Amino acid sequence: MTNSLIFFDFASDDPDKAGKFYAEVFGWEDDPRMGGLFHRMVPGGFFKNKDGSDSEIGNLHFGISDARNSRPHPDPEGVEPRTLATEGRKARVWILVSEDDTPERILETAEKLGATVLWRNHYWKEFNGFNWAFRDPWGNEIILWIKGGDNPQIPDNFTRE
């Protein structure tokens, strides 16, 4: 078996606020841990089989760590740096939009809560998907994704690559 991705986390200077942000934007469960120093976001559900039924593989969770003292670490007081990275590129996270939601609703909610919309209405032929993006209030970039399917119909107002 190869190495497997099991978890990732974002740094925030306010994990409580970030947990509430993601709960409202995506409808995920916000599971605060360690007195709010770390939040586990629980998307819930299972990855789908090709026929649309649930597989036995649960969706990945992600965490929100406190930039002032990211846990786990052998030193309980934490170490430098204790601030958010503000310059340059960061990792981007891709979210498959569920059939009962829309990119427009997600972007509107995220923007209302302090996010910045990076782009709307783009089609990426290489991976046959429609995408939209925002930067959360802590600088993390989120790409929203909808699968193009067989013979995708690309609206005229979408950019393409």
Side-chain angles (χ1 to χ4, degrees):
M1 184 171 121
T2 62
N3 298 315
S4 298
L5 173 68
I6 60 166
F7 203 79
F8 68 91
D9 61 89
F10 288 157
S12 171
D13 57 4
D14 189 340
D16 288 321
K17 186 175 178 181
K20 290 176 176 75
F21 174 90
Y22 281 99
E24 189 168 339
V25 170
F26 290 113
W28 296 341
E29 178 187 341
D30 177 13
D31 180 18
R33 303 288 182 104
M34 301 171 59
L37 293 175
F38 188 91
H39 286 238
R40 181 179 68 155
M41 302 308 298
V42 185
F46 292 86
F47 284 100
K48 300 292 184 186
N49 292 313
K50 288 185 179 183
D51 67 2
S53 63
D54 286 343
S55 75
E56 57 190 40
I57 303 167
N59 284 328
L60 300 174
H61 299 173
F62 89 91
I64 300 169
S65 61
D66 190 331
R68 295 163 294 203
N69 189 352
S70 289
R71 311 305 313 149
H73 191 278
D75 182 345
E77 300 304 315
V79 296
E80 296 297 331
R82 296 178 188 272
T83 58
L84 298 174
T86 57
E87 300 298 322
R89 290 277 180 207
K90 295 183 183 183
R92 299 184 302 174
V93 175
W94 301 68
I95 305 296
L96 184 63
V97 177
S98 64
E99 292 179 9
D100 64 348
D101 206 347
T102 67
E104 294 79 14
R105 195 234 23 108
I106 293 169
L107 289 175
E108 180 180 311
T109 303
E111 195 169 32
K112 175 184 79 174
L113 296 172
T116 301
V117 174
L118 300 174
W119 74 79
R120 289 172 161 52
N121 305 337
H122 183 71
Y123 175 74
W124 194 9
K125 182 179 179 182
E126 183 70 25
F127 291 98
N128 187 24
F130 300 95
N131 54 90
W132 302 255
F134 68 87
R135 182 179 299 113
D136 75 11
W138 303 275
N140 302 297
E141 292 187 12
I142 311 299
I143 313 295
L144 306 176
W145 189 265
I146 293 179
K147 295 176 184 178
D150 296 333
N151 192 27
Q153 302 302 307
I154 306 161
D156 290 339
N157 67 330
F158 273 60
T159 54
R160 297 162 172 81
E161 70 176 286

